[in-house]
């Protein structure tokens, strides 16, 4: 069970073609923990068609590298600045191998939260599929801080 003691705000932007852009934003609660040299941001993602269905999404943040994972899914995107990785992405109809190249990774996470900004591209068979940007802000929930008194 996740102890939802952090507020997490995520903005994701995608550009598929010069005239085709999309943006999603999510404000939720989740956990922010540190184990070894890595920090973990975990939160629930709810299905748009069935809001009762949820999967836990995890961002594992290490120096210069972020791994995006979803529980119960083969999706595992490795975002490492200046490098391209071949990764599995679960489309819902089966896994797809995509190339992920990270051009920028700004990690401003501290002990009690902070922010993360990543710019990356996705390619399929070495053909550009989309340009992407993700911004994540993590901060302790006010209610949890009051209960610590």
């Amino acid at each position: 069970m996740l102890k939802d003691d952090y507020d997490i705000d995520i903005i994701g932007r995608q550009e598929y073609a010069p005239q085709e852009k999309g943006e999603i934003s999510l404000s939720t609660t989740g956990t922010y923990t540190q184990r070894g040299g890595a920090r973990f941001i975990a939160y629930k993602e709810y299905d748009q068609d069935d809001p009762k269905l949820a999967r836990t999404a995890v961002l594992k943040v290490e120096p210069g590298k972020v791994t995006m994972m979803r529980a119960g899914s083969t999706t595992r995107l490795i975002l490492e600045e200046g490098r391209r990785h071949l990764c599995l992405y679960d489309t819902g109809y089966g896994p797809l191998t995509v190339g992920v190249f990270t051009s920028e990774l700004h990690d401003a996470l501290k002990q009690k939260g902070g922010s993360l900004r990543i710019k990356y591209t996705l390619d399929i068979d070495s053909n550009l599929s989309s340009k992407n940007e993700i911004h994540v802000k993590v901060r302790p929930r006010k209610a949890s801080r009051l209960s610590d008194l």
Side-chain angles (χ1 to χ4, degrees):
M1 180 81 183
L2 288 177
K3 183 181 176 190
D4 294 336
D5 53 355
Y6 279 81
D7 287 321
I8 301 169
D9 296 312
I10 301 170
I11 297 173
R13 293 185 183 99
Q14 303 82 32
E15 183 179 320
Y16 304 100
Q19 306 305 321
E20 294 181 53
K21 297 179 182 183
E23 181 174 300
I24 58 161
S25 62
L26 172 68
S27 291
T28 188
T29 57
T31 62
Y32 177 63
T33 56
Q34 184 169 347
R35 284 193 303 252
R39 297 178 192 270
F40 294 85
I41 301 167
Y43 57 94
K44 297 269 189 207
E45 288 183 331
Y46 292 90
D47 189 294
Q48 289 180 338
D49 298 327
D50 186 353
K52 294 180 196 126
L53 291 177
R55 283 200 253 188
T56 300
V58 177
L59 299 175
K60 178 182 180 185
V61 183
E62 300 169 280
K65 181 169 132 181
V66 174
T67 305
M68 300 170 74
M69 303 167 276
R70 283 193 186 98
S73 164
T74 56
T75 295
R76 183 177 239 92
L77 297 181
I78 300 169
L79 303 158
E80 187 173 7
E81 189 168 24
R83 295 207 44 204
R84 180 177 178 266
H85 289 273
L86 287 176
C87 303
L88 279 180
Y89 182 79
D90 188 346
T91 64
Y93 301 100
L96 178 67
T97 300
V98 295
V100 181
F101 176 77
T102 306
S103 58
E104 291 181 39
L105 194 156
H106 296 283
D107 176 357
L109 293 170
K110 307 285 186 231
Q111 188 78 25
K112 294 286 185 182
S115 64
L116 193 59
R117 185 169 51 89
I118 308 167
K119 289 184 179 183
Y120 63 99
T121 58
L122 295 178
D123 66 78
I124 300 169
D125 293 332
S126 297
N127 294 312
L128 182 65
S129 174
S130 65
K131 295 178 183 177
N132 305 275
E133 191 172 334
I134 185 169
H135 295 262
V136 181
K137 288 186 182 173
V138 181
R139 64 191 177 284
R141 298 197 71 197
K142 285 183 174 60
S144 68
R145 283 185 275 174
L146 292 175
S147 66
D148 291 340
L149 297 176

